[in-house]
Amino acid sequence: MAANLLIHIPHASLYLPRDFWRDVAVDREVIDKNLHFMADYKVDELVRDIDCHKVIAKYSRLYCDVERFQNDANEPMAKLGMGAVYTHLPGGAQYRQVTPERREEIIRQAYEPHHVQLNKLSQKIVTQHGLCMMIDLHSYSNDLVRKLFGYTENLPDICLGYDDEWFSGNDALKLKSYIEQLGYSCALNYPYAGALVPMDFYRNKMPGLRSVMLEVNRRVYLEGGTVRQESVRDISKLIKYIANEF
């Protein structure tokens, strides 16, 4: 696999640290249910055997969501209580009380170390190879989209998210065509849009980084709680194509 490839996996973890529970205001059963419901469940298993750089979030998004903007003023999902430090679940139920001081503690413990690692590694790859090709890897379910956005119409097997500044529209169409050749339906920036860019590149408009998001529908790769090996092979083909072509 290409030495300049970086896979970012922000939402696969199910780990909740002990201090998470001191803020929780609902029954443990509610947390256990949503822990799996909201995770990009086992999406990391799709790329377990791919030899490349990876940055995988340590904590569940119920503790800290490293995909969000750190400042709630810049994060659209914060108005739903789902910024970098969630207080609410999809559908609007509040599950924990977080003071501003506690929020900063969680940011220091979970958010900042993750982004330090992502910034350093992506810059190192650019320094060594001239280009870092980043894949922001996620999964989703129809039920989660319904709870978040209120619809499930025409949800694709794979959502391809991109921003023109970091991955061109022509390249997105080329990648969409390849995904369809593999036998999967694909939509651009639907139901999710964009792709995470390491903050040093994002803020400073630094050259040398490209980023695209893959959102794989759970129906594609999960059979009950088991990952389909056919899906592992196809996602490996897709990632190899990205590494070689872009």
Side-chain angles (χ1 to χ4, degrees):
M1 197 63 68
N4 68 337
L5 180 65
L6 170 59
I7 298 179
H8 179 241
I9 305 177
H11 293 154
S13 177
L14 299 176
Y15 175 58
L16 293 169
R18 186 176 301 174
D19 68 279
F20 167 81
W21 297 101
R22 76 184 197 221
D23 306 314
V24 171
V26 297
D27 292 340
R28 191 181 187 108
E29 290 77 14
V30 174
I31 299 300
D32 289 343
K33 177 182 178 181
N34 281 277
L35 184 65
H36 289 81
F37 179 65
M38 294 183 65
D40 293 352
Y41 189 57
K42 294 190 176 181
V43 75
D44 51 326
E45 293 189 17
L46 292 173
V47 297
R48 178 174 292 169
D49 297 328
I50 293 178
D51 182 19
C52 71
H53 302 284
K54 296 170 189 171
V55 175
I56 303 175
K58 178 179 179 180
Y59 300 101
S60 163
R61 66 197 300 187
L62 289 180
Y63 183 66
C64 181
D65 191 339
V66 297
E67 187 84 359
R68 306 295 197 227
F69 284 109
Q70 180 174 338
N71 189 334
D72 279 349
N74 300 324
E75 176 51 59
M77 293 298 289
K79 66 180 181 294
L80 301 178
M82 298 176 68
V85 178
Y86 293 6
T87 54
H88 291 66
L89 299 167
Q94 185 168 358
Y95 70 95
R96 63 176 173 174
Q97 301 277 352
V98 180
T99 65
E101 294 77 17
R102 175 67 173 136
R103 184 184 188 277
E104 288 307 307
E105 181 183 349
I106 294 169
I107 291 291
R108 287 193 302 271
Q109 177 170 321
Y111 189 97
E112 290 178 351
H114 180 89
H115 282 273
V116 167
Q117 180 188 12
L118 188 61
N119 282 322
K120 286 184 176 179
L121 181 54
S122 56
Q123 290 180 44
K124 180 180 178 181
I125 293 170
V126 170
T127 298
Q128 292 180 342
H129 303 285
L131 174 71
C132 175
M133 180 67 240
M134 188 171 115
I135 297 173
D136 193 26
L137 183 61
H138 298 255
S139 71
Y140 76 97
S141 67
N142 291 11
D143 288 341
L144 180 56
V145 169
R146 182 186 296 111
K147 275 210 166 186
L148 286 173
F149 307 129
Y151 59 78
T152 56
E153 292 81 11
N154 302 314
L155 295 179
D157 294 331
I158 298 177
C159 161
L160 179 59
Y162 73 101
D163 185 303
D164 279 320
E165 186 170 355
W166 306 101
F167 198 78
S168 74
N170 286 337
D171 284 343
L173 288 171
K174 180 179 177 181
L175 183 52
K176 178 177 184 289
S177 177
Y178 181 78
I179 290 170
E180 291 168 344
Q181 289 173 33
L182 289 175
Y184 300 100
S185 61
C186 180
L188 301 180
N189 287 331
Y190 177 84
Y192 298 95
L196 185 138
V197 172
M199 287 308 299
D200 285 352
F201 286 90
Y202 184 83
R203 282 192 298 257
N204 302 320
K205 309 301 180 186
M206 295 164 57
L209 184 124
R210 309 193 76 196
S211 183
V212 66
M213 178 175 69
L214 299 179
E215 284 266 6
V216 186
N217 197 308
R218 282 192 185 188
R219 69 183 181 225
V220 167
Y221 72 95
L222 283 180
E223 188 72 48
T226 304
V227 174
R228 295 190 183 100
Q229 289 308 300
E230 179 184 4
S231 300
V232 173
R233 290 191 293 270
D234 285 345
I235 295 300
S236 293
K237 291 178 186 176
L238 173 55
I239 290 175
K240 183 176 180 180
Y241 178 81
I242 295 171
N244 291 336
E245 293 293 324
F246 305 106

